[in-house]
Amino acid sequence: MAAAVSPPLVGASPLLSLLPPPRKRSAMPRAAVSASASARAKACSYQLREGQFRRFHRLPSGLAIEVIFQEAHAAAAAEEGLRNPPLVFIHGSFHAAWCWVEHWLPFFSDSGYDCYALSLLGQGESDVPSGAAAGTLKTHTSDVADFIRKEVRSPPVLIGHSFGGLIVQSYISNMTYSYSDEQPSLSENLVAHPLLAGAVLVCSVPPTGNSGLVWRYLLTKPIAAIKVTLSLAAKAFANSLPLCKETFFSSTMEDHLVLKYQELMKASSKLPLFDLRKLNASLPVSPPAKGTVKLLIMGASDDFIVDTEGLKETARFYGVQAVCVEGVAHDMMLDSRWEKGAQIFLSWLQELQRDQIS
């Protein structure tokens, strides 16, 4: 079967969700939103919960990205006088900021963390750039860095899901200065990457990209490979509730929730995140310097997209032990047992804080 599928087909396949081929800083302002951004926000299809706020961050290009913010619950905001790091969440393909807003933003806000969920360009309510793809790994990473540099008051923990995890990997391989430094002089269209308090990869694309996943599925799980290709490359998930559930969620997920998220996914992606051929040519990402950042790598036992070997590959690349969360699927933050991943992440955050004061 492998001989019937040529490498160019894999490299060109648009499987956008994963498979195939002393500066003063303040908390995010809630009121200072431009008139155009306000108009956009009123038209947003996703309704925020109490305590959540939407605004738009203007990038150096002039385009704007959607940001959903939820402030730390005051009673849980600090332990023993230590300020918790802010959390910045990056989504993957066919998703947007809303995927974090459902469960994880309220959970971590209640646990004492300021939370920011971003929609990358061409996704959610963010501006749509010209071109066939929303950006490159370099430009998406630069957009995230620009937001952190200008809007986040202290080194955050950066969290990425699926292809968002690859953006986080690109970020940590390019961190250039600390919050106590002045931003270094950079060439045009480049943005400094401030240091992070930590980074989390959730069901992430491996650092080498998705080609290895594709070939492995073709050789060992041909039926699953066909389903994934139909679901993602042909976007069949958008028109089939059973296929959407199998691709992203556990079998225990209630159909009315799958339908809700299916509709949000269909509306989220105005452009593919990447041109996959160009993306794969730019990989693998460079490993960060040893000890640069604390890293948590989480996978899901029932992930239909990133298999166990893909999770292990990422863990080996960074020299850390991966955590495989049992009983959850690829969309860990939306799945019926979303608390399992959230609780593991929270425990890791608490350990990170203890390490900082020890």
Side-chain angles (χ1 to χ4, degrees), residues 122-160:
Q123 321 301 311
E125 302 303 326
S126 295
D127 286 341
V128 180
S130 60
T136 65
L137 186 59
K138 184 177 181 179
T139 62
H140 285 310
T141 304
S142 183
D143 292 345
V144 173
D146 184 76
F147 169 77
I148 291 175
R149 185 174 63 86
K150 294 176 180 175
E151 303 280 9
V152 183
R153 68 177 184 273
S154 59
V157 173
L158 185 59
I159 305 99

PDB file of all heavy atoms in Angstrom, residues 122-160:
ATOM      1  N   GLY A 122      -6.841  34.645  10.468  1.00  0.00           N
ATOM      2  CA  GLY A 122      -7.649  33.800   9.603  1.00  0.00           C
ATOM      3  C   GLY A 122      -8.529  32.822  10.343  1.00  0.00           C
ATOM      4  O   GLY A 122      -9.242  32.022   9.727  1.00  0.00           O
ATOM      5  N   GLN A 123      -8.526  32.874  11.684  1.00  0.00           N
ATOM      6  CA  GLN A 123      -9.292  31.941  12.505  1.00  0.00           C
ATOM      7  C   GLN A 123     -10.182  32.728  13.468  1.00  0.00           C
ATOM      8  O   GLN A 123      -9.844  33.826  13.893  1.00  0.00           O
ATOM      9  CB  GLN A 123      -8.368  31.022  13.303  1.00  0.00           C
ATOM     10  CG  GLN A 123      -7.122  30.551  12.573  1.00  0.00           C
ATOM     11  CD  GLN A 123      -7.396  29.788  11.304  1.00  0.00           C
ATOM     12  OE1 GLN A 123      -8.203  28.868  11.283  1.00  0.00           O
ATOM     13  NE2 GLN A 123      -6.711  30.175  10.208  1.00  0.00           N
ATOM     14  N   GLY A 124     -11.303  32.125  13.843  1.00  0.00           N
ATOM     15  CA  GLY A 124     -12.190  32.788  14.799  1.00  0.00           C
ATOM     16  C   GLY A 124     -12.631  34.144  14.287  1.00  0.00           C
ATOM     17  O   GLY A 124     -13.026  34.306  13.136  1.00  0.00           O
ATOM     18  N   GLU A 125     -12.517  35.163  15.153  1.00  0.00           N
ATOM     19  CA  GLU A 125     -12.904  36.529  14.782  1.00  0.00           C
ATOM     20  C   GLU A 125     -11.699  37.392  14.412  1.00  0.00           C
ATOM     21  O   GLU A 125     -11.808  38.616  14.315  1.00  0.00           O
ATOM     22  CB  GLU A 125     -13.669  37.169  15.944  1.00  0.00           C
ATOM     23  CG  GLU A 125     -14.911  36.395  16.364  1.00  0.00           C
ATOM     24  CD  GLU A 125     -15.889  36.181  15.226  1.00  0.00           C
ATOM     25  OE1 GLU A 125     -16.000  37.073  14.359  1.00  0.00           O
ATOM     26  OE2 GLU A 125     -16.538  35.113  15.194  1.00  0.00           O
ATOM     27  N   SER A 126     -10.538  36.769  14.246  1.00  0.00           N
ATOM     28  CA  SER A 126      -9.340  37.513  13.849  1.00  0.00           C
ATOM     29  C   SER A 126      -9.427  37.936  12.388  1.00  0.00           C
ATOM     30  O   SER A 126     -10.192  37.379  11.599  1.00  0.00           O
ATOM     31  CB  SER A 126      -8.084  36.663  14.069  1.00  0.00           C
ATOM     32  OG  SER A 126      -7.883  36.398  15.437  1.00  0.00           O
ATOM     33  N   ASP A 127      -8.622  38.939  12.021  1.00  0.00           N
ATOM     34  CA  ASP A 127      -8.575  39.389  10.636  1.00  0.00           C
ATOM     35  C   ASP A 127      -8.068  38.284   9.725  1.00  0.00           C
ATOM     36  O   ASP A 127      -7.305  37.399  10.156  1.00  0.00           O
ATOM     37  CB  ASP A 127      -7.678  40.622  10.502  1.00  0.00           C
ATOM     38  CG  ASP A 127      -8.325  41.886  11.048  1.00  0.00           C
ATOM     39  OD1 ASP A 127      -9.572  41.912  11.191  1.00  0.00           O
ATOM     40  OD2 ASP A 127      -7.589  42.856  11.331  1.00  0.00           O
ATOM     41  N   VAL A 128      -8.463  38.349   8.467  1.00  0.00           N
ATOM     42  CA  VAL A 128      -8.068  37.354   7.474  1.00  0.00           C
ATOM     43  C   VAL A 128      -7.033  37.982   6.540  1.00  0.00           C
ATOM     44  O   VAL A 128      -7.335  38.935   5.829  1.00  0.00           O
ATOM     45  CB  VAL A 128      -9.279  36.868   6.662  1.00  0.00           C
ATOM     46  CG1 VAL A 128      -8.845  35.823   5.633  1.00  0.00           C
ATOM     47  CG2 VAL A 128     -10.356  36.311   7.587  1.00  0.00           C
ATOM     48  N   PRO A 129      -5.821  37.484   6.533  1.00  0.00           N
ATOM     49  CA  PRO A 129      -4.793  38.034   5.636  1.00  0.00           C
ATOM     50  C   PRO A 129      -5.022  37.597   4.193  1.00  0.00           C
ATOM     51  O   PRO A 129      -5.787  36.659   3.923  1.00  0.00           O
ATOM     52  CB  PRO A 129      -3.497  37.437   6.188  1.00  0.00           C
ATOM     53  CG  PRO A 129      -3.924  36.137   6.794  1.00  0.00           C
ATOM     54  CD  PRO A 129      -5.308  36.366   7.346  1.00  0.00           C
ATOM     55  N   SER A 130      -4.360  38.267   3.281  1.00  0.00           N
ATOM     56  CA  SER A 130      -4.422  37.840   1.884  1.00  0.00           C
ATOM     57  C   SER A 130      -3.540  36.609   1.699  1.00  0.00           C
ATOM     58  O   SER A 130      -2.616  36.368   2.471  1.00  0.00           O
ATOM     59  CB  SER A 130      -3.940  38.970   0.962  1.00  0.00           C
ATOM     60  OG  SER A 130      -2.604  39.327   1.271  1.00  0.00           O
ATOM     61  N   GLY A 131      -3.829  35.830   0.686  1.00  0.00           N
ATOM     62  CA  GLY A 131      -3.033  34.642   0.434  1.00  0.00           C
ATOM     63  C   GLY A 131      -3.837  33.373   0.637  1.00  0.00           C
ATOM     64  O   GLY A 131      -4.973  33.395   1.124  1.00  0.00           O
ATOM     65  N   ALA A 132      -3.220  32.246   0.285  1.00  0.00           N
ATOM     66  CA  ALA A 132      -3.903  30.952   0.358  1.00  0.00           C
ATOM     67  C   ALA A 132      -3.863  30.342   1.750  1.00  0.00           C
ATOM     68  O   ALA A 132      -4.674  29.472   2.071  1.00  0.00           O
ATOM     69  CB  ALA A 132      -3.277  29.989  -0.643  1.00  0.00           C
ATOM     70  N   ALA A 133      -2.931  30.776   2.586  1.00  0.00           N
ATOM     71  CA  ALA A 133      -2.810  30.277   3.961  1.00  0.00           C
ATOM     72  C   ALA A 133      -2.747  31.454   4.925  1.00  0.00           C
ATOM     73  O   ALA A 133      -2.374  32.574   4.549  1.00  0.00           O
ATOM     74  CB  ALA A 133      -1.566  29.409   4.101  1.00  0.00           C
ATOM     75  N   ALA A 134      -3.124  31.201   6.164  1.00  0.00           N
ATOM     76  CA  ALA A 134      -3.184  32.277   7.166  1.00  0.00           C
ATOM     77  C   ALA A 134      -1.807  32.786   7.556  1.00  0.00           C
ATOM     78  O   ALA A 134      -1.685  33.908   8.054  1.00  0.00           O
ATOM     79  CB  ALA A 134      -3.931  31.784   8.400  1.00  0.00           C
ATOM     80  N   GLY A 135      -0.777  31.983   7.361  1.00  0.00           N
ATOM     81  CA  GLY A 135       0.563  32.409   7.731  1.00  0.00           C
ATOM     82  C   GLY A 135       1.535  31.260   7.640  1.00  0.00           C
ATOM     83  O   GLY A 135       1.219  30.182   7.129  1.00  0.00           O
ATOM     84  N   THR A 136       2.720  31.480   8.144  1.00  0.00           N
ATOM     85  CA  THR A 136       3.755  30.460   8.235  1.00  0.00           C
ATOM     86  C   THR A 136       4.037  30.193   9.702  1.00  0.00           C
ATOM     87  O   THR A 136       3.543  30.904  10.588  1.00  0.00           O
ATOM     88  CB  THR A 136       5.045  30.930   7.552  1.00  0.00           C
ATOM     89  OG1 THR A 136       5.573  32.067   8.298  1.00  0.00           O
ATOM     90  CG2 THR A 136       4.790  31.345   6.102  1.00  0.00           C
ATOM     91  N   LEU A 137       4.836  29.170   9.972  1.00  0.00           N
ATOM     92  CA  LEU A 137       5.206  28.906  11.360  1.00  0.00           C
ATOM     93  C   LEU A 137       5.895  30.130  11.955  1.00  0.00           C
ATOM     94  O   LEU A 137       5.641  30.515  13.108  1.00  0.00           O
ATOM     95  CB  LEU A 137       6.125  27.685  11.421  1.00  0.00           C
ATOM     96  CG  LEU A 137       6.505  27.186  12.814  1.00  0.00           C
ATOM     97  CD1 LEU A 137       5.280  26.802  13.622  1.00  0.00           C
ATOM     98  CD2 LEU A 137       7.458  25.993  12.703  1.00  0.00           C
ATOM     99  N   LYS A 138       6.732  30.780  11.170  1.00  0.00           N
ATOM    100  CA  LYS A 138       7.458  31.958  11.629  1.00  0.00           C
ATOM    101  C   LYS A 138       6.527  33.126  11.919  1.00  0.00           C
ATOM    102  O   LYS A 138       6.647  33.796  12.954  1.00  0.00           O
ATOM    103  CB  LYS A 138       8.498  32.353  10.580  1.00  0.00           C
ATOM    104  CG  LYS A 138       9.392  33.516  10.970  1.00  0.00           C
ATOM    105  CD  LYS A 138      10.425  33.763   9.881  1.00  0.00           C
ATOM    106  CE  LYS A 138      11.367  34.905  10.217  1.00  0.00           C
ATOM    107  NZ  LYS A 138      12.372  35.115   9.143  1.00  0.00           N
ATOM    108  N   THR A 139       5.567  33.393  11.032  1.00  0.00           N
ATOM    109  CA  THR A 139       4.704  34.559  11.232  1.00  0.00           C
ATOM    110  C   THR A 139       3.712  34.336  12.369  1.00  0.00           C
ATOM    111  O   THR A 139       3.439  35.249  13.147  1.00  0.00           O
ATOM    112  CB  THR A 139       3.951  34.925   9.939  1.00  0.00           C
ATOM    113  OG1 THR A 139       3.097  33.850   9.534  1.00  0.00           O
ATOM    114  CG2 THR A 139       4.929  35.261   8.822  1.00  0.00           C
ATOM    115  N   HIS A 140       3.149  33.129  12.477  1.00  0.00           N
ATOM    116  CA  HIS A 140       2.242  32.860  13.597  1.00  0.00           C
ATOM    117  C   HIS A 140       2.981  32.986  14.932  1.00  0.00           C
ATOM    118  O   HIS A 140       2.466  33.550  15.903  1.00  0.00           O
ATOM    119  CB  HIS A 140       1.645  31.462  13.474  1.00  0.00           C
ATOM    120  CG  HIS A 140       0.579  31.330  12.419  1.00  0.00           C
ATOM    121  ND1 HIS A 140      -0.491  32.190  12.309  1.00  0.00           N
ATOM    122  CD2 HIS A 140       0.419  30.408  11.432  1.00  0.00           C
ATOM    123  CE1 HIS A 140      -1.270  31.818  11.315  1.00  0.00           C
ATOM    124  NE2 HIS A 140      -0.730  30.747  10.758  1.00  0.00           N
ATOM    125  N   THR A 141       4.199  32.450  14.969  1.00  0.00           N
ATOM    126  CA  THR A 141       4.996  32.540  16.196  1.00  0.00           C
ATOM    127  C   THR A 141       5.302  33.987  16.530  1.00  0.00           C
ATOM    128  O   THR A 141       5.231  34.411  17.690  1.00  0.00           O
ATOM    129  CB  THR A 141       6.307  31.744  16.031  1.00  0.00           C
ATOM    130  OG1 THR A 141       6.009  30.390  15.672  1.00  0.00           O
ATOM    131  CG2 THR A 141       7.114  31.756  17.320  1.00  0.00           C
ATOM    132  N   SER A 142       5.626  34.779  15.519  1.00  0.00           N
ATOM    133  CA  SER A 142       5.910  36.198  15.724  1.00  0.00           C
ATOM    134  C   SER A 142       4.685  36.935  16.229  1.00  0.00           C
ATOM    135  O   SER A 142       4.794  37.835  17.082  1.00  0.00           O
ATOM    136  CB  SER A 142       6.402  36.807  14.409  1.00  0.00           C
ATOM    137  OG  SER A 142       6.750  38.164  14.577  1.00  0.00           O
ATOM    138  N   ASP A 143       3.498  36.576  15.749  1.00  0.00           N
ATOM    139  CA  ASP A 143       2.267  37.219  16.218  1.00  0.00           C
ATOM    140  C   ASP A 143       2.032  36.934  17.698  1.00  0.00           C
ATOM    141  O   ASP A 143       1.640  37.816  18.471  1.00  0.00           O
ATOM    142  CB  ASP A 143       1.068  36.727  15.402  1.00  0.00           C
ATOM    143  CG  ASP A 143       1.096  37.206  13.954  1.00  0.00           C
ATOM    144  OD1 ASP A 143       1.872  38.133  13.647  1.00  0.00           O
ATOM    145  OD2 ASP A 143       0.350  36.630  13.132  1.00  0.00           O
ATOM    146  N   VAL A 144       2.266  35.679  18.099  1.00  0.00           N
ATOM    147  CA  VAL A 144       2.123  35.322  19.516  1.00  0.00           C
ATOM    148  C   VAL A 144       3.128  36.101  20.362  1.00  0.00           C
ATOM    149  O   VAL A 144       2.793  36.632  21.428  1.00  0.00           O
ATOM    150  CB  VAL A 144       2.311  33.805  19.711  1.00  0.00           C
ATOM    151  CG1 VAL A 144       2.344  33.449  21.197  1.00  0.00           C
ATOM    152  CG2 VAL A 144       1.193  33.032  19.001  1.00  0.00           C
ATOM    153  N   ALA A 145       4.359  36.191  19.884  1.00  0.00           N
ATOM    154  CA  ALA A 145       5.397  36.920  20.617  1.00  0.00           C
ATOM    155  C   ALA A 145       5.043  38.395  20.749  1.00  0.00           C
ATOM    156  O   ALA A 145       5.272  39.013  21.803  1.00  0.00           O
ATOM    157  CB  ALA A 145       6.745  36.759  19.915  1.00  0.00           C
ATOM    158  N   ASP A 146       4.493  38.986  19.701  1.00  0.00           N
ATOM    159  CA  ASP A 146       4.105  40.399  19.750  1.00  0.00           C
ATOM    160  C   ASP A 146       3.032  40.622  20.799  1.00  0.00           C
ATOM    161  O   ASP A 146       3.077  41.596  21.571  1.00  0.00           O
ATOM    162  CB  ASP A 146       3.594  40.846  18.379  1.00  0.00           C
ATOM    163  CG  ASP A 146       3.270  42.325  18.334  1.00  0.00           C
ATOM    164  OD1 ASP A 146       4.229  43.138  18.271  1.00  0.00           O
ATOM    165  OD2 ASP A 146       2.075  42.686  18.389  1.00  0.00           O
ATOM    166  N   PHE A 147       2.060  39.717  20.866  1.00  0.00           N
ATOM    167  CA  PHE A 147       1.017  39.830  21.887  1.00  0.00           C
ATOM    168  C   PHE A 147       1.610  39.736  23.286  1.00  0.00           C
ATOM    169  O   PHE A 147       1.308  40.557  24.170  1.00  0.00           O
ATOM    170  CB  PHE A 147      -0.046  38.748  21.701  1.00  0.00           C
ATOM    171  CG  PHE A 147      -0.990  38.655  22.861  1.00  0.00           C
ATOM    172  CD1 PHE A 147      -2.002  39.585  23.026  1.00  0.00           C
ATOM    173  CD2 PHE A 147      -0.823  37.666  23.818  1.00  0.00           C
ATOM    174  CE1 PHE A 147      -2.846  39.536  24.128  1.00  0.00           C
ATOM    175  CE2 PHE A 147      -1.662  37.602  24.919  1.00  0.00           C
ATOM    176  CZ  PHE A 147      -2.681  38.529  25.070  1.00  0.00           C
ATOM    177  N   ILE A 148       2.455  38.748  23.517  1.00  0.00           N
ATOM    178  CA  ILE A 148       3.035  38.566  24.849  1.00  0.00           C
ATOM    179  C   ILE A 148       3.881  39.774  25.234  1.00  0.00           C
ATOM    180  O   ILE A 148       3.796  40.283  26.364  1.00  0.00           O
ATOM    181  CB  ILE A 148       3.859  37.264  24.895  1.00  0.00           C
ATOM    182  CG1 ILE A 148       2.927  36.045  24.811  1.00  0.00           C
ATOM    183  CG2 ILE A 148       4.709  37.198  26.167  1.00  0.00           C
ATOM    184  CD1 ILE A 148       3.641  34.713  24.719  1.00  0.00           C
ATOM    185  N   ARG A 149       4.681  40.248  24.298  1.00  0.00           N
ATOM    186  CA  ARG A 149       5.567  41.371  24.593  1.00  0.00           C
ATOM    187  C   ARG A 149       4.794  42.631  24.966  1.00  0.00           C
ATOM    188  O   ARG A 149       5.203  43.376  25.869  1.00  0.00           O
ATOM    189  CB  ARG A 149       6.463  41.647  23.381  1.00  0.00           C
ATOM    190  CG  ARG A 149       7.513  42.732  23.601  1.00  0.00           C
ATOM    191  CD  ARG A 149       8.446  42.827  22.415  1.00  0.00           C
ATOM    192  NE  ARG A 149       7.754  43.229  21.195  1.00  0.00           N
ATOM    193  CZ  ARG A 149       7.527  44.500  20.847  1.00  0.00           C
ATOM    194  NH1 ARG A 149       7.912  45.472  21.642  1.00  0.00           N
ATOM    195  NH2 ARG A 149       6.909  44.781  19.726  1.00  0.00           N
ATOM    196  N   LYS A 150       3.668  42.865  24.336  1.00  0.00           N
ATOM    197  CA  LYS A 150       2.936  44.122  24.521  1.00  0.00           C
ATOM    198  C   LYS A 150       1.791  44.048  25.522  1.00  0.00           C
ATOM    199  O   LYS A 150       1.394  45.068  26.082  1.00  0.00           O
ATOM    200  CB  LYS A 150       2.385  44.594  23.175  1.00  0.00           C
ATOM    201  CG  LYS A 150       3.470  44.974  22.174  1.00  0.00           C
ATOM    202  CD  LYS A 150       2.869  45.350  20.830  1.00  0.00           C
ATOM    203  CE  LYS A 150       3.943  45.736  19.826  1.00  0.00           C
ATOM    204  NZ  LYS A 150       3.375  46.001  18.473  1.00  0.00           N
ATOM    205  N   GLU A 151       1.253  42.854  25.760  1.00  0.00           N
ATOM    206  CA  GLU A 151       0.017  42.774  26.533  1.00  0.00           C
ATOM    207  C   GLU A 151       0.127  42.015  27.853  1.00  0.00           C
ATOM    208  O   GLU A 151      -0.752  42.148  28.698  1.00  0.00           O
ATOM    209  CB  GLU A 151      -1.076  42.097  25.696  1.00  0.00           C
ATOM    210  CG  GLU A 151      -1.366  42.762  24.366  1.00  0.00           C
ATOM    211  CD  GLU A 151      -2.273  43.976  24.496  1.00  0.00           C
ATOM    212  OE1 GLU A 151      -2.551  44.401  25.631  1.00  0.00           O
ATOM    213  OE2 GLU A 151      -2.707  44.504  23.453  1.00  0.00           O
ATOM    214  N   VAL A 152       1.158  41.206  28.023  1.00  0.00           N
ATOM    215  CA  VAL A 152       1.230  40.337  29.199  1.00  0.00           C
ATOM    216  C   VAL A 152       2.255  40.899  30.170  1.00  0.00           C
ATOM    217  O   VAL A 152       3.396  41.171  29.790  1.00  0.00           O
ATOM    218  CB  VAL A 152       1.570  38.885  28.792  1.00  0.00           C
ATOM    219  CG1 VAL A 152       1.563  37.975  30.014  1.00  0.00           C
ATOM    220  CG2 VAL A 152       0.563  38.382  27.753  1.00  0.00           C
ATOM    221  N   ARG A 153       1.871  41.056  31.417  1.00  0.00           N
ATOM    222  CA  ARG A 153       2.668  41.834  32.368  1.00  0.00           C
ATOM    223  C   ARG A 153       3.898  41.103  32.889  1.00  0.00           C
ATOM    224  O   ARG A 153       4.822  41.722  33.421  1.00  0.00           O
ATOM    225  CB  ARG A 153       1.786  42.243  33.562  1.00  0.00           C
ATOM    226  CG  ARG A 153       1.380  41.066  34.414  1.00  0.00           C
ATOM    227  CD  ARG A 153       0.571  41.466  35.638  1.00  0.00           C
ATOM    228  NE  ARG A 153       0.294  40.319  36.457  1.00  0.00           N
ATOM    229  CZ  ARG A 153      -0.734  39.514  36.291  1.00  0.00           C
ATOM    230  NH1 ARG A 153      -1.570  39.721  35.304  1.00  0.00           N
ATOM    231  NH2 ARG A 153      -0.926  38.468  37.083  1.00  0.00           N
ATOM    232  N   SER A 154       3.924  39.777  32.822  1.00  0.00           N
ATOM    233  CA  SER A 154       5.040  39.003  33.357  1.00  0.00           C
ATOM    234  C   SER A 154       5.176  37.720  32.546  1.00  0.00           C
ATOM    235  O   SER A 154       4.261  37.351  31.796  1.00  0.00           O
ATOM    236  CB  SER A 154       4.815  38.683  34.840  1.00  0.00           C
ATOM    237  OG  SER A 154       3.615  37.953  35.014  1.00  0.00           O
ATOM    238  N   PRO A 155       6.313  37.023  32.655  1.00  0.00           N
ATOM    239  CA  PRO A 155       6.512  35.811  31.845  1.00  0.00           C
ATOM    240  C   PRO A 155       5.365  34.812  32.018  1.00  0.00           C
ATOM    241  O   PRO A 155       5.081  34.373  33.128  1.00  0.00           O
ATOM    242  CB  PRO A 155       7.829  35.249  32.380  1.00  0.00           C
ATOM    243  CG  PRO A 155       8.570  36.442  32.877  1.00  0.00           C
ATOM    244  CD  PRO A 155       7.518  37.339  33.466  1.00  0.00           C
ATOM    245  N   PRO A 156       4.701  34.452  30.929  1.00  0.00           N
ATOM    246  CA  PRO A 156       3.568  33.535  31.020  1.00  0.00           C
ATOM    247  C   PRO A 156       3.966  32.086  30.803  1.00  0.00           C
ATOM    248  O   PRO A 156       5.095  31.781  30.417  1.00  0.00           O
ATOM    249  CB  PRO A 156       2.679  34.008  29.861  1.00  0.00           C
ATOM    250  CG  PRO A 156       3.682  34.408  28.807  1.00  0.00           C
ATOM    251  CD  PRO A 156       4.859  34.994  29.567  1.00  0.00           C
ATOM    252  N   VAL A 157       3.022  31.203  31.021  1.00  0.00           N
ATOM    253  CA  VAL A 157       3.108  29.831  30.537  1.00  0.00           C
ATOM    254  C   VAL A 157       2.345  29.801  29.213  1.00  0.00           C
ATOM    255  O   VAL A 157       1.205  30.246  29.136  1.00  0.00           O
ATOM    256  CB  VAL A 157       2.499  28.836  31.538  1.00  0.00           C
ATOM    257  CG1 VAL A 157       2.446  27.433  30.934  1.00  0.00           C
ATOM    258  CG2 VAL A 157       3.305  28.832  32.833  1.00  0.00           C
ATOM    259  N   LEU A 158       2.993  29.282  28.168  1.00  0.00           N
ATOM    260  CA  LEU A 158       2.411  29.252  26.826  1.00  0.00           C
ATOM    261  C   LEU A 158       1.943  27.833  26.530  1.00  0.00           C
ATOM    262  O   LEU A 158       2.721  26.887  26.628  1.00  0.00           O
ATOM    263  CB  LEU A 158       3.452  29.711  25.806  1.00  0.00           C
ATOM    264  CG  LEU A 158       3.002  29.871  24.353  1.00  0.00           C
ATOM    265  CD1 LEU A 158       1.873  30.890  24.231  1.00  0.00           C
ATOM    266  CD2 LEU A 158       4.183  30.286  23.473  1.00  0.00           C
ATOM    267  N   ILE A 159       0.658  27.695  26.150  1.00  0.00           N
ATOM    268  CA  ILE A 159       0.041  26.393  25.950  1.00  0.00           C
ATOM    269  C   ILE A 159      -0.417  26.279  24.505  1.00  0.00           C
ATOM    270  O   ILE A 159      -1.085  27.190  23.984  1.00  0.00           O
ATOM    271  CB  ILE A 159      -1.185  26.206  26.884  1.00  0.00           C
ATOM    272  CG1 ILE A 159      -0.788  26.443  28.343  1.00  0.00           C
ATOM    273  CG2 ILE A 159      -1.797  24.818  26.709  1.00  0.00           C
ATOM    274  CD1 ILE A 159      -1.134  27.824  28.871  1.00  0.00           C
ATOM    275  N   GLY A 160      -0.077  25.177  23.837  1.00  0.00           N
ATOM    276  CA  GLY A 160      -0.494  24.979  22.459  1.00  0.00           C
ATOM    277  C   GLY A 160      -1.093  23.610  22.238  1.00  0.00           C
ATOM    278  O   GLY A 160      -0.581  22.603  22.739  1.00  0.00           O
TER     279      GLY A 160
END
